[in-house]
Amino acid sequence: MPKKILVACFCALQSVSLASIAAEPVDDSVALLKLARSFEHGEGVARSSAEAIRLYCQGARSGDAEAMYRLGWMYAMGRGVQRDDPVAAYFFAKAAELGHT
């Protein structure tokens, strides 16, 4: 399966369980990552791993390396999702492939 489709599949699987979260898409990638990180850490907003994942998935579908890395971190640590090392490794590798240090 092509990697871009794999990312979309992982993110689509997450959106099934996150269907109750309705938010407008964020077009600016910097704003998207800032908002996602705010939800991930509860900085200025109520902490919501589900909303952070939704936003990181939006960034990942756009090919954002930082969003891929953050998804890898959340899967590696089991933060808001069941820990899944192969999925985490995929997102870390994809982020590195896109130039993430």
Side-chain angles (χ1 to χ4, degrees):
M1 178 179 297
K3 291 178 184 177
K4 191 170 187 172
I5 294 172
L6 186 59
V7 171
C9 290
F10 282 125
C11 292
L13 289 173
Q14 286 302 318
S15 67
V16 170
S17 62
L18 307 177
S20 63
I21 298 174
E24 293 297 317
V26 179
D27 291 329
D28 178 11
S29 65
V30 173
L32 178 91
L33 290 174
K34 184 176 179 180
L35 183 59
R37 193 170 184 97
S38 294
F39 278 108
E40 182 182 357
H41 297 285
E43 297 168 350
V45 295
R47 186 175 178 180
S48 173
S49 295
E51 184 65 3
I53 290 169
R54 187 190 71 77
L55 292 167
Y56 287 139
C57 282
Q58 185 179 335
R61 284 190 299 269
S62 299
D64 187 284
E66 181 65 20
M68 298 265 187
Y69 174 81
R70 297 303 316 162
L71 282 168
W73 178 261
M74 292 184 82
Y75 275 99
M77 298 299 133
R79 193 167 201 167
V81 293
Q82 184 173 349
R83 183 177 174 172
D84 191 324
D85 290 338
V87 172
Y90 167 79
F91 283 118
F92 286 144
K94 184 63 176 171
E97 181 181 304
L98 294 173
H100 196 282
T101 56

Coordinates of all heavy atoms in Angstrom, one line a residue:
M1 N 0.8 -1.2 0.0 CA 0.0 0.0 0.0 C 0.9 1.2 0.0 O 1.8 1.3 0.8 CB -0.9 0.0 1.3 CG -1.8 1.2 1.4 SD -2.9 1.1 2.9 CE -3.9 -0.3 2.6
P2 N 0.7 2.2 -0.9 CA 1.5 3.4 -0.9 C 1.4 4.2 0.4 O 0.4 4.2 1.1 CB 0.8 4.3 -2.0 CG 0.1 3.3 -2.9 CD -0.3 2.2 -2.0
K3 N 2.5 4.8 0.8 CA 2.6 5.4 2.1 C 1.6 6.5 2.3 O 1.0 6.6 3.4 CB 4.0 6.0 2.3 CG 5.0 4.9 2.5 CD 6.4 5.5 2.7 CE 7.4 4.4 2.7 NZ 8.8 4.8 2.8
K4 N 1.3 7.3 1.3 CA 0.3 8.4 1.5 C -1.1 7.8 1.8 O -1.8 8.3 2.6 CB 0.2 9.2 0.2 CG -0.6 10.5 0.3 CD -0.4 11.4 -0.9 CE -1.0 12.7 -0.6 NZ -0.8 13.7 -1.7
I5 N -1.4 6.7 1.2 CA -2.7 6.0 1.4 C -2.7 5.4 2.8 O -3.6 5.5 3.6 CB -3.0 4.9 0.4 CG1 -3.2 5.6 -1.0 CG2 -4.2 4.1 0.8 CD1 -3.3 4.6 -2.1
L6 N -1.5 4.9 3.3 CA -1.4 4.3 4.6 C -1.7 5.4 5.7 O -2.4 5.2 6.6 CB 0.0 3.7 4.8 CG 0.2 3.0 6.1 CD1 -0.8 1.8 6.2 CD2 1.6 2.4 6.1
V7 N -1.1 6.6 5.5 CA -1.4 7.7 6.4 C -2.8 8.0 6.4 O -3.4 8.2 7.5 CB -0.6 9.0 6.0 CG1 -1.0 10.2 6.8 CG2 0.9 8.7 6.2
A8 N -3.4 8.1 5.3 CA -4.9 8.4 5.2 C -5.7 7.4 5.9 O -6.7 7.7 6.6 CB -5.3 8.6 3.8
C9 N -5.3 6.1 5.8 CA -6.0 5.0 6.4 C -5.9 5.1 7.9 O -6.9 4.9 8.6 CB -5.4 3.7 5.9 SG -5.8 3.3 4.2
F10 N -4.7 5.3 8.4 CA -4.5 5.4 9.9 C -5.4 6.6 10.4 O -6.1 6.5 11.4 CB -3.1 5.6 10.3 CG -2.3 4.4 10.3 CD1 -1.1 4.3 9.6 CD2 -2.7 3.3 11.0 CE1 -0.4 3.1 9.6 CE2 -1.9 2.1 11.0 CZ -0.8 2.0 10.3
C11 N -5.3 7.7 9.7 CA -6.0 8.9 10.2 C -7.5 8.7 10.0 O -8.3 9.1 10.9 CB -5.6 10.1 9.4 SG -3.9 10.6 9.9
A12 N -8.0 8.0 9.0 CA -9.4 7.7 8.8 C -9.9 6.8 9.9 O -11.0 7.0 10.4 CB -9.6 7.1 7.4
L13 N -9.1 5.8 10.3 CA -9.4 4.9 11.4 C -9.6 5.8 12.7 O -10.6 5.5 13.4 CB -8.4 3.9 11.6 CG -8.3 2.8 10.6 CD1 -7.1 1.9 10.9 CD2 -9.6 2.0 10.5
Q14 N -8.8 6.7 12.9 CA -8.9 7.6 14.1 C -10.2 8.4 14.0 O -10.9 8.6 15.0 CB -7.7 8.5 14.3 CG -6.5 7.8 14.8 CD -6.7 7.1 16.1 OE1 -7.4 7.6 17.0 NE2 -6.2 5.9 16.2
S15 N -10.5 8.9 12.8 CA -11.7 9.8 12.7 C -13.0 9.1 12.9 O -14.0 9.7 13.3 CB -11.7 10.5 11.3 OG -11.9 9.5 10.3
V16 N -13.0 7.7 12.8 CA -14.2 7.0 13.1 C -14.5 7.1 14.6 O -15.7 7.4 14.9 CB -14.0 5.5 12.7 CG1 -15.2 4.7 13.3 CG2 -13.9 5.3 11.2
S17 N -13.5 7.0 15.4 CA -13.8 7.1 16.9 C -13.9 8.6 17.3 O -14.3 8.9 18.4 CB -12.7 6.4 17.6 OG -11.4 7.0 17.4
L18 N -13.5 9.5 16.4 CA -13.5 10.9 16.8 C -14.6 11.7 16.1 O -14.6 12.9 16.1 CB -12.2 11.6 16.4 CG -10.9 10.9 16.9 CD1 -9.7 11.6 16.3 CD2 -10.9 10.9 18.4
A19 N -15.6 10.9 15.6 CA -16.6 11.6 14.8 C -17.4 12.6 15.5 O -18.0 13.5 14.9 CB -17.6 10.5 14.3
S20 N -17.5 12.5 16.9 CA -18.2 13.5 17.6 C -17.5 14.8 17.7 O -18.2 15.8 18.2 CB -18.5 12.9 19.0 OG -17.2 12.8 19.7
I21 N -16.3 14.9 17.3 CA -15.6 16.2 17.4 C -15.7 16.9 16.1 O -15.3 16.5 15.1 CB -14.1 15.9 17.7 CG1 -13.9 15.3 19.1 CG2 -13.3 17.3 17.6 CD1 -12.5 14.9 19.4
A22 N -16.5 18.0 16.1 CA -16.7 18.8 14.9 C -15.9 20.1 15.0 O -16.1 20.8 15.9 CB -18.2 19.1 14.8
A23 N -15.0 20.3 14.1 CA -14.2 21.5 14.0 C -13.9 21.8 12.6 O -13.9 20.9 11.7 CB -12.9 21.3 14.8
E24 N -13.8 23.1 12.3 CA -13.4 23.5 11.0 C -12.0 23.1 10.7 O -11.1 23.2 11.5 CB -13.6 25.0 10.9 CG -15.0 25.5 11.0 CD -15.9 25.0 9.9 OE1 -15.5 25.0 8.7 OE2 -17.0 24.5 10.2
P25 N -11.7 22.7 9.4 CA -10.3 22.5 9.1 C -9.5 23.7 9.2 O -9.9 24.8 9.0 CB -10.4 22.0 7.6 CG -11.8 21.7 7.4 CD -12.6 22.5 8.3
V26 N -8.2 23.5 9.6 CA -7.3 24.6 9.6 C -6.3 24.5 8.4 O -5.7 23.5 8.2 CB -6.4 24.6 11.0 CG1 -5.4 25.7 11.0 CG2 -7.4 24.6 12.2
D27 N -6.3 25.6 7.6 CA -5.5 25.6 6.4 C -4.0 25.9 6.6 O -3.1 25.3 6.0 CB -6.0 26.5 5.4 CG -7.4 26.1 4.9 OD1 -7.6 24.8 4.8 OD2 -8.2 26.9 4.5
D28 N -3.7 26.8 7.6 CA -2.3 27.2 7.8 C -1.6 26.1 8.6 O -2.0 25.8 9.8 CB -2.3 28.5 8.6 CG -1.0 29.0 8.9 OD1 0.1 28.5 8.5 OD2 -0.9 30.0 9.7
S29 N -0.5 25.5 8.1 CA 0.1 24.4 8.8 C 0.7 24.8 10.1 O 0.7 24.0 11.0 CB 1.1 23.7 7.9 OG 2.2 24.6 7.6
V30 N 1.3 26.0 10.2 CA 1.8 26.4 11.5 C 0.8 26.6 12.5 O 0.9 26.1 13.7 CB 2.6 27.8 11.3 CG1 3.1 28.3 12.6 CG2 3.8 27.6 10.4
A31 N -0.4 27.2 12.2 CA -1.5 27.3 13.1 C -2.1 26.0 13.5 O -2.4 25.8 14.6 CB -2.6 28.2 12.5
L32 N -2.1 25.1 12.5 CA -2.7 23.7 12.7 C -1.8 23.0 13.8 O -2.4 22.5 14.7 CB -2.7 22.9 11.4 CG -3.1 21.5 11.5 CD1 -4.6 21.4 11.3 CD2 -2.4 20.6 10.6
L33 N -0.5 23.0 13.6 CA 0.4 22.4 14.6 C 0.3 23.0 15.9 O 0.3 22.3 17.0 CB 1.8 22.3 14.0 CG 2.0 21.4 12.8 CD1 3.5 21.6 12.3 CD2 1.8 20.0 13.2
K34 N 0.3 24.3 16.0 CA 0.2 25.0 17.3 C -1.1 24.6 18.0 O -1.1 24.4 19.2 CB 0.2 26.5 17.0 CG 0.3 27.3 18.3 CD 0.4 28.8 18.0 CE 0.4 29.6 19.3 NZ 0.5 31.0 19.1
L35 N -2.2 24.6 17.2 CA -3.5 24.2 17.8 C -3.5 22.8 18.3 O -3.9 22.5 19.4 CB -4.6 24.5 16.8 CG -6.0 24.2 17.3 CD1 -6.4 25.1 18.5 CD2 -7.0 24.5 16.2
A36 N -3.0 21.9 17.5 CA -2.9 20.5 17.8 C -2.1 20.3 19.1 O -2.5 19.5 20.0 CB -2.3 19.7 16.7
R37 N -0.9 21.0 19.2 CA -0.1 20.8 20.3 C -0.8 21.4 21.6 O -0.6 20.8 22.7 CB 1.3 21.6 20.1 CG 2.3 21.2 21.1 CD 3.7 21.8 20.7 NE 4.7 21.4 21.6 CZ 5.5 20.3 21.4 NH1 5.4 19.6 20.4 NH2 6.4 20.0 22.3
S38 N -1.5 22.5 21.4 CA -2.3 23.0 22.5 C -3.3 22.0 23.1 O -3.4 21.8 24.3 CB -3.0 24.3 22.1 OG -2.2 25.3 21.8
F39 N -4.0 21.3 22.2 CA -4.9 20.3 22.6 C -4.2 19.1 23.2 O -4.6 18.5 24.2 CB -5.8 19.8 21.5 CG -7.0 20.7 21.2 CD1 -7.0 21.5 20.1 CD2 -8.0 20.7 22.1 CE1 -8.1 22.3 19.9 CE2 -9.1 21.6 21.9 CZ -9.1 22.4 20.8
E40 N -3.0 18.7 22.7 CA -2.3 17.6 23.2 C -1.8 17.8 24.6 O -1.8 16.9 25.5 CB -1.0 17.3 22.3 CG -0.2 16.1 22.8 CD 1.0 15.9 21.9 OE1 1.3 16.6 20.9 OE2 1.8 15.0 22.3
H41 N -1.4 19.1 24.9 CA -0.8 19.4 26.2 C -1.8 20.2 27.1 O -1.4 20.4 28.3 CB 0.5 20.2 26.0 CG 1.5 19.4 25.3 ND1 2.2 18.4 26.0 CD2 2.0 19.4 24.1 CE1 3.1 17.9 25.1 NE2 2.9 18.5 23.9
G42 N -3.0 20.5 26.6 CA -3.9 21.3 27.5 C -3.4 22.7 27.8 O -3.6 23.2 28.9
E43 N -2.8 23.3 26.8 CA -2.3 24.7 27.0 C -3.2 25.7 26.4 O -3.4 25.9 25.2 CB -0.9 24.8 26.3 CG 0.1 23.9 26.8 CD 1.4 23.8 26.0 OE1 1.4 24.3 24.8 OE2 2.4 23.2 26.5
G44 N -4.0 26.4 27.3 CA -5.0 27.4 26.8 C -6.3 26.8 26.4 O -7.2 27.5 26.2
V45 N -6.4 25.5 26.3 CA -7.6 24.8 26.0 C -7.7 23.5 26.9 O -6.7 23.1 27.4 CB -7.7 24.4 24.5 CG1 -7.7 25.6 23.6 CG2 -6.5 23.5 24.1
A46 N -8.9 23.0 26.9 CA -9.0 21.7 27.7 C -8.2 20.6 26.9 O -8.3 20.6 25.7 CB -10.5 21.3 27.7
R47 N -7.5 19.9 27.6 CA -6.7 18.8 27.0 C -7.6 17.8 26.3 O -8.5 17.3 26.9 CB -5.8 18.1 28.1 CG -4.9 17.1 27.5 CD -4.0 16.5 28.6 NE -3.2 15.5 28.0 CZ -2.3 14.8 28.7 NH1 -2.2 15.0 30.0 NH2 -1.6 13.9 28.1
S48 N -7.2 17.5 25.1 CA -8.0 16.6 24.3 C -7.1 15.9 23.3 O -6.7 16.4 22.2 CB -9.1 17.3 23.5 OG -9.7 16.4 22.6
S49 N -6.6 14.7 23.7 CA -5.8 13.9 22.8 C -6.5 13.6 21.5 O -5.9 13.6 20.4 CB -5.4 12.6 23.4 OG -4.6 12.8 24.6
A50 N -7.8 13.4 21.5 CA -8.6 13.1 20.3 C -8.6 14.2 19.4 O -8.4 14.0 18.2 CB -10.0 12.7 20.7
E51 N -8.7 15.4 19.9 CA -8.7 16.6 19.0 C -7.3 16.8 18.4 O -7.1 17.2 17.3 CB -9.2 17.9 19.7 CG -9.3 19.1 18.8 CD -10.3 19.0 17.7 OE1 -11.0 18.0 17.6 OE2 -10.3 20.0 16.9
A52 N -6.3 16.6 19.3 CA -4.9 16.7 18.8 C -4.6 15.7 17.7 O -4.0 16.1 16.7 CB -3.9 16.5 20.0
I53 N -5.0 14.5 17.8 CA -4.8 13.5 16.8 C -5.6 13.9 15.5 O -5.0 13.8 14.4 CB -5.3 12.1 17.3 CG1 -4.3 11.6 18.4 CG2 -5.4 11.1 16.1 CD1 -4.8 10.4 19.1
R54 N -6.8 14.4 15.7 CA -7.5 14.8 14.5 C -6.8 15.9 13.7 O -6.6 15.8 12.5 CB -8.9 15.3 14.9 CG -9.8 15.6 13.7 CD -11.1 16.3 14.1 NE -10.8 17.7 14.5 CZ -10.6 18.7 13.6 NH1 -10.5 18.5 12.3 NH2 -10.4 19.9 14.1
L55 N -6.2 16.8 14.4 CA -5.5 17.9 13.8 C -4.2 17.5 13.2 O -3.8 17.9 12.1 CB -5.3 19.1 14.8 CG -6.6 19.8 15.2 CD1 -6.4 20.7 16.4 CD2 -7.2 20.6 14.0
Y56 N -3.5 16.6 14.0 CA -2.2 16.1 13.4 C -2.5 15.2 12.2 O -1.7 15.3 11.2 CB -1.5 15.2 14.5 CG -0.8 16.0 15.6 CD1 -0.9 15.6 16.9 CD2 -0.1 17.2 15.4 CE1 -0.3 16.3 17.9 CE2 0.5 17.9 16.4 CZ 0.4 17.4 17.7 OH 1.0 18.1 18.7
C57 N -3.6 14.5 12.2 CA -3.9 13.7 11.0 C -4.2 14.6 9.8 O -3.7 14.3 8.7 CB -5.1 12.9 11.2 SG -4.8 11.4 12.2
Q58 N -4.8 15.8 10.0 CA -5.0 16.7 9.0 C -3.7 17.2 8.4 O -3.5 17.2 7.2 CB -5.9 17.9 9.5 CG -6.2 18.9 8.4 CD -7.1 20.1 9.0 OE1 -7.7 19.9 10.0 NE2 -7.0 21.2 8.3
G59 N -2.8 17.5 9.3 CA -1.4 17.9 8.8 C -0.7 16.8 8.1 O 0.0 17.0 7.1
A60 N -0.8 15.6 8.7 CA -0.1 14.4 8.1 C -0.6 14.2 6.6 O 0.2 13.8 5.7 CB -0.3 13.2 8.9
R61 N -1.9 14.3 6.4 CA -2.5 14.1 5.1 C -1.9 15.1 4.1 O -1.9 14.9 2.9 CB -4.0 14.1 5.2 CG -4.6 12.9 5.7 CD -6.1 12.8 5.5 NE -6.8 13.9 6.2 CZ -7.3 13.8 7.5 NH1 -7.1 12.7 8.2 NH2 -7.9 14.9 8.0
S62 N -1.5 16.3 4.6 CA -0.9 17.3 3.8 C 0.6 17.1 3.6 O 1.2 17.9 2.9 CB -1.2 18.7 4.4 OG -2.6 18.9 4.5
G63 N 1.1 16.1 4.2 CA 2.6 15.8 4.1 C 3.4 16.6 5.1 O 4.6 16.8 4.8
D64 N 2.9 17.1 6.2 CA 3.7 17.8 7.2 C 4.5 16.9 8.0 O 4.0 16.0 8.7 CB 2.7 18.6 8.0 CG 3.4 19.6 9.0 OD1 4.0 19.1 10.0 OD2 3.5 20.8 8.7
A65 N 5.8 17.0 8.0 CA 6.7 16.2 8.7 C 6.5 16.2 10.3 O 6.6 15.2 10.9 CB 8.2 16.5 8.4
E66 N 6.3 17.4 10.8 CA 6.1 17.6 12.2 C 4.8 16.9 12.7 O 4.8 16.3 13.7 CB 6.1 19.1 12.6 CG 5.9 19.3 14.1 CD 7.1 18.8 15.0 OE1 8.2 18.6 14.5 OE2 6.9 18.6 16.2
A67 N 3.8 17.0 11.9 CA 2.5 16.3 12.2 C 2.8 14.8 12.2 O 2.3 14.1 13.1 CB 1.4 16.7 11.2
M68 N 3.5 14.3 11.3 CA 3.9 12.9 11.2 C 4.6 12.5 12.5 O 4.3 11.5 13.1 CB 4.7 12.5 10.0 CG 4.1 12.8 8.7 SD 3.3 11.3 8.1 CE 2.8 11.9 6.5
Y69 N 5.6 13.3 12.9 CA 6.4 13.0 14.1 C 5.5 13.0 15.3 O 5.6 12.1 16.2 CB 7.5 14.1 14.2 CG 8.3 13.9 15.5 CD1 9.3 12.9 15.7 CD2 7.9 14.7 16.6 CE1 9.9 12.8 16.9 CE2 8.6 14.5 17.8 CZ 9.6 13.5 17.9 OH 10.3 13.4 19.1
R70 N 4.7 14.0 15.4 CA 3.8 14.1 16.6 C 2.8 12.9 16.7 O 2.6 12.4 17.8 CB 3.0 15.4 16.6 CG 3.8 16.7 16.7 CD 4.8 16.8 17.9 NE 4.1 16.4 19.1 CZ 4.8 16.0 20.3 NH1 6.1 16.0 20.3 NH2 4.1 15.6 21.3
L71 N 2.3 12.4 15.6 CA 1.5 11.2 15.6 C 2.3 10.0 16.0 O 1.9 9.2 16.8 CB 0.9 11.0 14.2 CG -0.3 11.8 13.8 CD1 -0.6 11.7 12.3 CD2 -1.5 11.5 14.7
G72 N 3.6 9.9 15.5 CA 4.4 8.8 15.9 C 4.6 8.9 17.4 O 4.6 7.8 18.1
W73 N 4.9 10.0 18.0 CA 5.0 10.2 19.4 C 3.8 9.7 20.2 O 3.9 9.0 21.2 CB 5.4 11.6 19.8 CG 5.5 11.9 21.2 CD1 4.6 12.4 22.1 CD2 6.7 11.6 22.0 NE1 5.1 12.5 23.4 CE2 6.4 12.0 23.3 CE3 7.9 11.1 21.7 CZ2 7.3 11.9 24.4 CZ3 8.8 11.0 22.8 CH2 8.5 11.3 24.1
M74 N 2.6 10.1 19.7 CA 1.4 9.8 20.4 C 1.2 8.3 20.4 O 0.8 7.7 21.4 CB 0.2 10.6 19.9 CG 0.3 12.0 20.2 SD -1.1 13.0 19.7 CE -2.2 12.7 21.1
Y75 N 1.5 7.6 19.2 CA 1.3 6.2 19.2 C 2.4 5.5 20.0 O 2.2 4.4 20.6 CB 1.4 5.7 17.7 CG 0.0 5.8 17.0 CD1 -0.3 6.8 16.2 CD2 -0.9 4.8 17.2 CE1 -1.5 6.9 15.6 CE2 -2.2 4.8 16.6 CZ -2.5 5.9 15.8 OH -3.7 6.0 15.2
A76 N 3.6 6.0 20.0 CA 4.7 5.4 20.8 C 4.5 5.4 22.3 O 4.8 4.5 23.0 CB 6.0 6.1 20.4
M77 N 3.8 6.5 22.7 CA 3.6 6.7 24.1 C 2.2 6.3 24.6 O 1.9 6.3 25.8 CB 3.8 8.2 24.5 CG 5.2 8.7 24.3 SD 6.4 7.8 25.3 CE 7.6 7.5 24.1
G78 N 1.3 5.9 23.6 CA 0.0 5.6 23.9 C -0.8 6.8 24.5 O -1.6 6.6 25.4
R79 N -0.6 7.9 23.9 CA -1.2 9.1 24.3 C -2.5 9.4 23.5 O -2.4 9.9 22.4 CB -0.2 10.3 24.1 CG -0.6 11.5 24.8 CD 0.5 12.5 24.9 NE 0.3 13.4 25.9 CZ 1.2 14.3 26.4 NH1 2.4 14.3 25.9 NH2 0.9 15.1 27.3
G80 N -3.6 9.0 24.1 CA -4.9 9.2 23.4 C -5.3 8.1 22.5 O -6.3 8.1 22.0
V81 N -4.3 7.2 22.3 CA -4.6 6.0 21.4 C -3.9 4.8 22.1 O -3.1 5.0 23.0 CB -4.0 6.1 20.0 CG1 -4.7 7.2 19.2 CG2 -2.5 6.4 20.1
Q82 N -4.3 3.6 21.7 CA -3.6 2.4 22.2 C -2.2 2.5 21.7 O -1.9 2.7 20.5 CB -4.3 1.2 21.8 CG -3.7 -0.1 22.4 CD -4.5 -1.3 22.1 OE1 -5.7 -1.2 21.6 NE2 -4.0 -2.5 22.3
R83 N -1.2 2.2 22.5 CA 0.2 2.2 22.1 C 0.4 1.2 21.0 O -0.1 0.0 21.0 CB 1.1 1.8 23.3 CG 2.5 1.8 22.9 CD 3.4 1.5 24.0 NE 4.8 1.4 23.5 CZ 5.9 1.2 24.3 NH1 5.7 1.2 25.6 NH2 7.0 1.2 23.7
D84 N 1.0 1.6 19.9 CA 1.2 0.7 18.7 C 2.6 1.1 18.1 O 2.7 2.0 17.4 CB 0.1 1.0 17.7 CG 0.1 0.0 16.6 OD1 1.1 -0.4 16.2 OD2 -1.1 -0.3 16.1
D85 N 3.6 0.3 18.5 CA 5.0 0.5 18.0 C 5.1 0.5 16.5 O 5.8 1.4 16.0 CB 5.9 -0.4 18.7 CG 6.1 -0.1 20.2 OD1 5.8 1.1 20.6 OD2 6.5 -1.0 21.0
P86 N 4.5 -0.4 15.8 CA 4.7 -0.4 14.3 C 4.1 0.8 13.7 O 4.7 1.4 12.8 CB 4.0 -1.7 13.9 CG 4.0 -2.6 15.1 CD 3.9 -1.7 16.3
V87 N 3.0 1.3 14.2 CA 2.4 2.5 13.7 C 3.3 3.7 14.0 O 3.5 4.6 13.2 CB 0.9 2.7 14.2 CG1 0.4 4.1 13.8 CG2 0.0 1.6 13.6
A88 N 3.8 3.7 15.2 CA 4.7 4.8 15.7 C 5.9 4.8 14.8 O 6.3 5.9 14.3 CB 5.0 4.6 17.1
A89 N 6.5 3.7 14.6 CA 7.7 3.6 13.7 C 7.4 4.1 12.3 O 8.3 4.7 11.7 CB 8.2 2.1 13.7
Y90 N 6.3 3.7 11.8 CA 5.9 4.2 10.5 C 5.9 5.8 10.4 O 6.5 6.4 9.6 CB 4.5 3.7 10.0 CG 4.1 4.4 8.8 CD1 4.6 4.1 7.5 CD2 3.2 5.5 8.9 CE1 4.2 4.9 6.4 CE2 2.8 6.2 7.8 CZ 3.3 5.9 6.6 OH 3.0 6.6 5.5
F91 N 5.2 6.4 11.4 CA 5.1 7.8 11.4 C 6.5 8.5 11.6 O 6.8 9.5 11.0 CB 4.1 8.3 12.4 CG 2.7 8.2 11.9 CD1 1.8 7.4 12.6 CD2 2.2 8.8 10.8 CE1 0.5 7.2 12.1 CE2 0.9 8.7 10.3 CZ 0.0 7.9 11.0
F92 N 7.3 7.9 12.5 CA 8.6 8.4 12.7 C 9.5 8.3 11.4 O 10.2 9.3 11.1 CB 9.4 7.7 13.9 CG 8.9 8.1 15.2 CD1 8.8 7.1 16.2 CD2 8.5 9.3 15.6 CE1 8.4 7.4 17.5 CE2 8.0 9.7 16.9 CZ 8.0 8.7 17.8
A93 N 9.4 7.2 10.8 CA 10.2 7.0 9.5 C 9.7 8.0 8.4 O 10.5 8.5 7.7 CB 10.0 5.6 9.1
K94 N 8.4 8.1 8.3 CA 7.8 9.0 7.3 C 8.3 10.5 7.6 O 8.7 11.2 6.7 CB 6.3 8.9 7.3 CG 5.7 9.7 6.2 CD 6.1 9.3 4.8 CE 5.4 10.1 3.8 NZ 5.9 9.8 2.4
A95 N 8.3 10.9 8.9 CA 8.7 12.2 9.3 C 10.2 12.4 8.9 O 10.5 13.4 8.4 CB 8.5 12.4 10.8
A96 N 11.0 11.4 9.2 CA 12.4 11.5 8.9 C 12.6 11.6 7.3 O 13.4 12.3 6.8 CB 13.2 10.3 9.4
E97 N 11.9 10.8 6.6 CA 11.9 10.8 5.2 C 11.6 12.2 4.6 O 12.1 12.6 3.6 CB 10.9 9.8 4.6 CG 10.9 9.6 3.1 CD 9.8 8.6 2.7 OE1 9.9 7.4 3.1 OE2 8.9 9.0 1.9
L98 N 10.7 12.9 5.3 CA 10.3 14.2 4.9 C 11.2 15.3 5.4 O 11.0 16.5 5.3 CB 8.9 14.5 5.3 CG 7.8 13.6 4.6 CD1 6.4 13.8 5.2 CD2 7.8 13.9 3.1
G99 N 12.3 14.9 6.1 CA 13.3 15.8 6.6 C 13.3 16.2 8.0 O 14.0 17.0 8.5
H100 N 12.4 15.6 8.8 CA 12.3 15.9 10.2 C 13.6 15.3 10.9 O 14.0 14.2 10.7 CB 11.1 15.2 10.9 CG 10.8 15.8 12.2 ND1 11.4 15.4 13.4 CD2 9.8 16.7 12.6 CE1 10.9 16.1 14.4 NE2 9.9 16.8 14.0
T101 N 14.2 16.2 11.7 CA 15.5 15.8 12.4 C 15.2 14.8 13.6 O 16.0 14.1 14.0 CB 16.2 17.0 12.9 OG1 15.4 17.8 13.8 CG2 16.7 17.8 11.7

